[in-house]
DNA sequence: TTGTAAGCGTTATCAA
DNA sequence: TTGATAACGCTTACAA
C-alpha cells in the first residue's frame, strides 16, 4: 500500500496525495476523494521513505546513565511527555554508568544520524565525550550537568547541598561527608563544594578523613559508613551526596545502634519516593527532575526547529525537605 | 557523503562498496582500497536509505506502563542488554499506566511500521488491545502477562503469592489482603488466587471486607491500610500484592503504632531494592525481572530472524525472601 | 568478482 | 491548484 495506489484510487497524482498529508493546497473535491480512499484503505505514509526524502526521522536519542534510578526515571518521564506530544518518538540508550558506552552511543547517533536531536543525561565529560559531541550533526541538550557551549539544564547542586548541610550543622559540630567521584562535576564536585562552604559558614574545620567517596548505590553508602565507624572517628552528622547513599548509611547506623537523629543526623539529596517511607524519614533536597526533563525537551524542540546556534544554561530550583533524620527543628 | 562518492574515490562501483558493507564478495585489493577511503572519510552508510531499501529499521519498540518503577526498570535493563548487543536500538514508549495510550502506541508501531519487532510490558488486555496487536505487521513478545497465541514471558504470580502468603499464615489466623484490580491478570487476578488458595490450605475463611483493592502506589497501600483500621477489623497479617503497597501499609501501621511483625505481619511481592532498607526489612518475593527482559528480548530476536509463527509461553521462577516483617521463623 | 540499472515510497521543483 | 519528474542513498538481480 503506497502513495501511488492511493493516488490512482482517488484519481489524482502522487504529488496531490503528498500535499494532502503535508502543506495543503488541495481542492475540496480532491481532498474529499483522497480522504475517502484513505479511510477505506487505512493507508499511512511510509515513515522510512519520508525520512529518506526529508532527512527528518522524528526520532530523538536520549542517552541515560542508568535506567533503574528514580532521578533518571523522572527526567525521562518529563522528556517523554513533551516529545511524544510534539510527535517525536524517543530512542533510549542506556549506558549502565559506563562512560565509554556513552561515547559509543554518541558516535552511533552522530554517524548513523538517524535522530533529529539528542538529549544527554550526563555524568562526566572526557575528551572522548567532547569529540563525539562536537561531531554530532544534530542539536544536543545536556541534562543534569553543564557543558559550556551547549544547551544544558541542570540542578543547583552547590546550593542544594549547602542548604541541606546547613540544616544539619545547626546542631552538629562534628560532621562527616560521603560523596561521589569529583569527575562527576554536578554530584561530585559541586555538592562537595556546597558541603565545604556550609562547614566554613559554621566555622567547622574539615579534615580529609571525614570526606569519603563512594559510588551511587545503597551498598556504597553502607560500606562508607561502616568504614567511618571502623576508623573510630566520632561524628554527629552524616551528610550524603545522594539519597541512596543515605539509605545505606541509615541501615549501617541502625545495625550499629546509633540513634538517628539523636546521636547522628543524616541528610541526602534527591528525595526519592522512598525517602518518606524509611525510618526515620530522610531529610533531603527535592529536585524537580521531571520538570528538568520537560525543560530540556522543550529546549531541544526549539533547537531542532530553528537551527540557530544560540545556547543557554538553565539552573533549576530546589526545595529542602526537612524530615525526621535531622533535629534542627527540635533545638530551636 | 554518500556511497557514490566513496565508490569514486576508491575507484570501484557503488555496488562493490555496498557489498563491502554487507555480504562480502569483494577482492582483497578493492576491499583494501575501500577500507582506506572509509577510514579517511569516516563514512558510514545511511541508516534511512538502507531501511527504505531493505524494510528493516534495526529498531525495536518497547511499550512500558511506567518508567518510574523498579520492576520495569529491571526488565528494560535486560531487554537493552540483549538488543543492543544484537545491533538493535530500542524505541521506548511510556504509557503512564494509560491503557488507551498503550493501544495508541501499538497502532503507531503497526501503521508507521518503523520497528522490526515489539515488546509489550503488559498490564491489561482490552478488545482494543487485541485488535491493535493482531494488526501488528511485526513480531511481538508480551512481557509480564500471558496472551494466548503470542509469545510471552511472565512471572509465576500465583505460586509466588501462594508461597509468600503461606509464610505469613503459619503464624497468623486473621489475615487481610490488599490487591490490585482484577483486570490486571498477573498482579490482580493471579496473585489474588494465590492468596485465596494459601488461606484455604490453612483452613482460613476469607470474607470480602478483608480483600481490598488499590493501585500500585505507596499511597495506595497507605490508604488501604488506613481503611482497614478504620473499619475496626482485627488483623494480624497484611498480605500485599506489591512491595509498594506494603511500604505504604508499613508506614500506616507505624503511625498507628502497630508493631510489625509482632502484632501484624506484612508481606509483599517484587523485592525492590528498598525492601531491604526499610524498617523492618520486608519479607517479599524476588522476581527475576532482568532475566525476564533478557528472555523476552532473545525470544523476539528469534521471531524476527525466522518469521515462522510458532509461539510459546515462558514462566519464570521466583525466590521467596524471608526478612523481618514476618515472624514465621521465630515461632518454629 | 565486478558493474549496470531498477527500484524502495516519499517530497520538492517546476511548468502547466 | 495540479501533475510530471527528478532526486533521497542504498541494495540486489542480472549480466558481464
Amino acid at each position: 500500500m503506497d502513495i501511488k495506489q492511493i493516488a490512482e484510487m482517488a484519481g489524482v497524482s502522487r504529488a496531490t496525495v503528498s500535499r494532502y498529508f503535508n502543506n495543503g493546497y488541495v481542492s475540496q473535491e480532491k481532498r474529499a476523494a483522497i480522504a475517502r480512499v484513505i479511510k477505506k484503505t487505512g493507508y499511512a505514509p511510509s515513515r522510512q521513505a519520508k525520512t529518506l526524502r526529508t532527512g527528518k526521522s522524528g526520532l530523538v536519542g536520549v542517552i541515560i546513565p542508568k535506567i533503574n534510578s528514580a532521578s533518571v526515571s523522572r527526567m525521562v518521564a518529563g522528556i517523554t511527555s513533551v516529545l511524544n506530544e510534539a510527535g517525536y518518538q524517543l530512542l533510549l540508550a542506556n549506558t549502565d554508568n559506563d562512560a565509554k558506552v556513552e561515547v559509543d552511543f554518541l558516535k552511533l547517533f552522530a554517524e548513523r544520524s538517524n535522530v533529529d536531536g539528542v538529549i544527554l543525561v550526563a555524568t562526566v565529560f572526557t575528551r572522548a565525550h567532547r569529540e563525539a559531541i562536537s561531531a554530532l550533526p544534530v542539536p544536543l541538550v545536556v541534562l543534569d550537568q553543564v557543558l559550556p557551549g551547549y544547551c544544558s539544564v541542570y540542578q543547583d547542586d552547590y546550593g542544594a547541598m549547602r542548604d541541606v548541610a546547613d540544616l544539619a550543622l545547626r546542631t552538629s559540630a562534628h560532621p562527616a561527608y560521603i560523596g561521589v567521584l569529583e569527575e562527576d562535576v554536578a554530584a561530585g564536585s559541586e555538592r562537595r563544594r556546597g558541603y565545604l562552604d556550609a562547614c566554613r559558614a559554621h566555622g567547622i574545620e574539615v579534615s580529609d578523613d571525614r570526606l569519603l567517596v563512594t559510588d551511587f548505590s545503597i551498598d556504597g553508602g553502607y560500606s562508607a559508613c561502616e568504614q567511618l565507624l571502623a576508623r573510630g572517628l566520632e561524628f554527629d552528622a552524616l551528610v550524603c551526596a545522594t539519597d541512596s547513599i543515605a539509605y545505606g548509611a541509615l541501615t549501617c547506623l541502625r545495625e550499629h545502634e546509633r540513634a538517628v537523629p539523636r546521636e547522628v543526623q543524616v541528610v541526602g539529596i534527591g528525595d526519592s519516593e522512598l525517602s518518606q517511607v524509611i525510618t526515620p524519614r530522610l531529610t533531603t533536597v527535592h529536585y524537580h527532575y521531571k520538570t528538568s526533563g520537560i525543560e530540556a525537551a522543550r529546549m531541544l524542540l526549539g533547537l531542532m526547529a530553528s537551527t540557530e546556534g544560540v545556547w543557554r544554561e538553565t539552573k533549576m530550583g530546589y526545595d529542602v525537605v526537612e524530615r525526621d533524620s535531622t533535629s534542627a527543628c527540635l533545638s530551636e
Side-chain angles (χ1 to χ4, degrees), chain A residues 27-263:
Chain A
S27 67
Q28 281 309 316
E29 314 140 53
K30 307 240 168 188
R31 181 173 296 278
I34 294 171
R36 209 176 315 118
V37 175
I38 287 174
K39 192 151 291 166
K40 198 168 67 187
T41 57
Y43 164 81
S46 151
R47 188 86 198 159
Q48 1 263 37
K50 189 177 190 138
T51 294
L52 176 58
R53 183 60 228 242
T54 61
K56 258 86 188 67
S57 63
L59 261 33
V60 167
V62 179
I63 302 179
I64 59 176
K66 205 158 173 287
I67 173 109
N68 193 349
S69 143
S71 57
V72 171
S73 301
R74 280 150 68 187
M75 289 187 269
V76 172
I79 294 170
T80 310
S81 65
V82 173
L83 255 29
N84 280 347
E85 191 59 36
Y88 285 91
Q89 290 180 281
L90 36 70
L91 222 45
L92 202 75
N94 176 24
T95 69
D96 254 327
N97 265 320
D98 187 334
K100 223 160 96 187
V101 176
E102 208 165 276
V103 174
D104 287 344
F105 276 121
L106 244 13
K107 284 183 180 162
L108 193 74
F109 286 144
E111 287 169 6
R112 296 216 212 168
S113 184
N114 56 342
V115 295
D116 296 344
V118 174
I119 293 180
L120 172 64
V121 179
T123 52
V124 302
F125 291 114
T126 63
R127 165 195 288 270
H129 278 83
R130 286 170 219 279
E131 286 174 4
I133 285 173
S134 72
L136 225 43
V138 292
L140 165 79
V141 172
V142 174
L143 189 44
D144 228 28
Q145 299 276 352
V146 178
L147 183 62
Y150 295 88
C151 274
S152 52
V153 177
Y154 66 103
Q155 315 301 333
D156 185 1
D157 290 285
Y158 167 78
M161 178 49 93
R162 190 198 51 212
D163 288 2
V164 77
D166 173 77
L167 200 63
L169 295 182
R170 284 186 211 162
T171 51
S172 287
H174 305 289
Y177 179 76
I178 308 180
V180 298
L181 280 178
E182 298 274 305
E183 276 81 66
D184 184 327
V185 174
S189 174
E190 285 295 290
R191 292 185 194 176
R192 188 174 192 270
R193 199 163 64 80
Y195 171 72
L196 294 177
D197 276 7
C199 284
R200 190 166 305 138
H202 284 270
I204 294 172
E205 290 262 325
V206 180
S207 60
D208 272 357
D209 53 357
R210 287 169 175 278
L211 289 174
L212 279 74
V213 166
T214 184
D215 60 21
F216 284 88
S217 69
I218 292 178
D219 288 347
Y222 184 95
S223 54
C225 179
E226 207 165 32
Q227 203 175 319
L228 220 41
L229 290 167
R231 285 187 196 167
L233 279 172
E234 282 312 309
F235 56 89
D236 54 7
L238 221 41
V239 177
C240 306
T242 75
D243 277 11
S244 293
I245 292 174
Y247 302 153
L250 283 173
T251 304
C252 180
L253 289 171
R254 185 169 55 245
E255 290 181 6
H256 287 81
E257 295 178 344
R258 304 275 180 128
V260 176
R262 202 170 46 76
E263 297 176 68

Side-chain angles (χ1 to χ4, degrees), chain A residues 251-315:
Chain A
T251 304
C252 180
L253 289 171
R254 185 169 55 245
E255 290 181 6
H256 287 81
E257 295 178 344
R258 304 275 180 128
V260 176
R262 202 170 46 76
E263 297 176 68
V264 182
Q265 297 187 69
V266 176
V267 300
I269 283 191
D271 191 23
S272 304
E273 203 184 13
L274 27 146
S275 292
Q276 45 185 316
V277 174
I278 55 169
T279 318
R281 287 153 64 237
L282 186 69
T283 290
T284 182
V285 177
H286 181 88
Y287 278 156
H288 300 280
Y289 282 119
K290 184 165 183 183
T291 312
S292 316
I294 291 175
E295 183 63 26
R298 292 222 179 103
M299 228 177 225
L300 186 67
L301 243 29
L303 292 176
M304 293 191 302
S306 72
T307 66
E308 51 174 85
V310 47
W311 57 278
R312 75 212 94 120
E313 298 167 356
T314 299
K315 179 162 80 181

